[in-house]
Amino acid sequence: MHSFLLPTPEVADALAGNRPVVALESTVISHGMPYPRNLETARALEAEVRAAGAVPATIAVLDGRIRIGLDDGALDRLATGGHAVRKLSRRDLPIALAAGALGATTVAATMIAARLAGIAVFATGGIGGVHRGAETSFDVSADLEELARTSVCVVCAGAKSILDLPKTLEVLETRGVPVLGFGTAEFPAFYSRRSGLPVDHRCDNVTEVADILRTKWRLGLEGGVLLANPIPAGDELDADAMETAVAQALADAEAKGIKGKDITPHLLAALERLTGGRSLTANIALIRNNARVAAGVATALSNS
Ligand code: PSU
Ligand code: MN
């Protein structure tokens, strides 16, 4: 294990015994949801992973180490820290570690940490992608670069329509990232099951997903795989109503001049306000569903 990594004994044991482990990110806890729902959700995700027979490893940066698995105290600091918690992507990791800062890891940084620790499967809500208007702003999430280079399977519910979904899929294609639909041939749009955009391949069970992962990596094709798992039908939000809310959230961010790493957290908070909290409830349902599926994939992968 890399000297910068600090796994909990439970995670270290599971990895040493080739038992299934699922990585979980912390930016969604610190910057993606309000307290106390964020803390409840973080705990619920760990419980989902355990109930499905795998070991959860929530990842964050504390006191100069990348923690692989968090105790209650650490989870609490991340959930209550607000703006004192840095949002860490690839570029930020060395700075935060060297400074001994408290930081939450994005999809990109969580992938890096998972890979270093030897964890192949990671569950999140939605990935970052190509922002609307990227042709002038150049705002393309580092998550896409990381998916291109780091060999981890990321289970998500697609990407939010705060992003430009067709452009996001174009970049994933260019960068060689397989996009698999779990029980669907369509890329899901986070709050809704459908986007009208096709995935590369539909998988109907976790064994098939594990086969594709193994094949990719045995071929020496380094890089991630995106497993897109639609929000459960009963938790879906109305696509038109969400589009209206997204347009308002984007206009608000533009008016306030929000840019760079602050834009995604700002839009998430605005959507929650604009939907009277319904976006948060949907977010929690889909991320729990992703944790369950990720545990299944990790189990299928460790059985081979
Ligand atoms: N999308 C969501 N919820 C989130 C994020 C994205 O629906 O919480 C977080 C993830 O941690 C993701 C990060 O990796 O935002 C992307 O930020 P940016 O767009 O600045 O790359
Ligand atoms: Mn960005």
Side-chain angles (χ1 to χ4, degrees):
M1 194 63 68
H2 203 288
S3 63
F4 280 116
L5 299 186
L6 183 60
T8 59
E10 183 194 20
V11 171
D13 268 8
L15 288 170
N18 190 34
R19 288 192 301 281
V21 177
V22 172
L24 299 163
E25 64 150 308
S26 44
T27 292
V28 65
I29 304 171
S30 296
H31 304 287
M33 292 180 186
Y35 181 82
R37 300 291 294 280
N38 59 351
L39 183 59
E40 291 160 18
T41 304
R43 296 219 166 97
L45 294 180
E46 297 195 343
E48 292 285 1
V49 170
R50 283 182 210 288
V55 171
T58 308
I59 291 174
V61 170
L62 276 96
D63 310 322
R65 307 289 288 279
I66 304 177
R67 306 276 286 264
I68 313 292
L70 301 178
D71 56 32
D72 280 348
L75 215 47
D76 226 78
R77 282 172 69 189
L78 285 157
T80 57
H83 289 298
V85 185
R86 296 188 193 182
K87 175 182 164 189
L88 309 180
S89 191
R90 169 177 278 264
R91 64 164 184 188
D92 312 295
L93 266 183
I95 301 170
L97 281 168
L102 175 64
T105 50
T106 62
V107 167
T110 306
M111 288 180 76
I112 293 169
R115 179 72 177 142
L116 285 172
I119 303 171
V121 184
F122 160 29
T124 185
I127 57 161
V130 180
H131 281 261
R132 296 188 188 188
E135 57 276 25
T136 52
S137 69
F138 278 42
D139 192 349
V140 178
S141 175
D143 291 352
L144 299 184
E145 275 305 304
E146 211 56 52
L147 279 160
R149 70 201 290 178
T150 300
S151 300
V152 170
C153 173
V154 178
V155 184
C156 70
K160 281 201 177 76
S161 58
I162 55 171
L163 302 173
D164 185 321
L165 300 188
K167 286 194 182 73
T168 299
L169 290 173
E170 286 293 346
V171 170
L172 289 167
E173 179 192 353
T174 304
R175 305 295 273 118
V177 180
V179 178
L180 310 177
F182 195 68
T184 181
E186 244 180 80
F187 190 65
F190 200 86
Y191 298 117
S192 41
R193 295 174 59 81
R194 310 189 54 179
S195 67
L197 303 163
V199 292
D200 301 324
H201 180 72
R202 171 182 175 142
C203 290
D204 284 302
N205 57 66
V206 292
T207 317
E208 203 186 335
V209 176
D211 277 346
I212 292 169
L213 296 175
R214 246 183 263 111
T215 304
K216 178 176 181 1
W217 295 330
R218 277 199 196 139
L219 277 167
L221 298 177
E222 298 254 340
V225 170
L226 195 62
L227 180 62
N229 181 36
I231 183 171
D235 298 302
E236 221 179 351
L237 298 181
D238 179 69
D240 291 337
M242 281 319 290
E243 187 52 41
T244 307
V246 165
Q248 266 178 273
L250 286 167
D252 176 67
E254 166 103 38
K256 293 193 172 120
I258 313 282
K259 289 201 169 59
K261 69 198 288 184
D262 296 330
I263 188 98
T264 297
H266 188 87
L267 292 173
L268 299 182
L271 281 183
E272 195 203 316
R273 262 195 328 274
L274 290 164
T275 62
R278 281 183 311 133
S279 69
L280 179 59
T281 309
N283 199 345
I284 294 169
L286 67 84
I287 195 167
R288 290 180 70 149
N289 189 39
N290 293 344
R292 278 192 291 275
V293 168
V297 174
T299 303
L301 210 51
S302 73
N303 286 341
S304 60

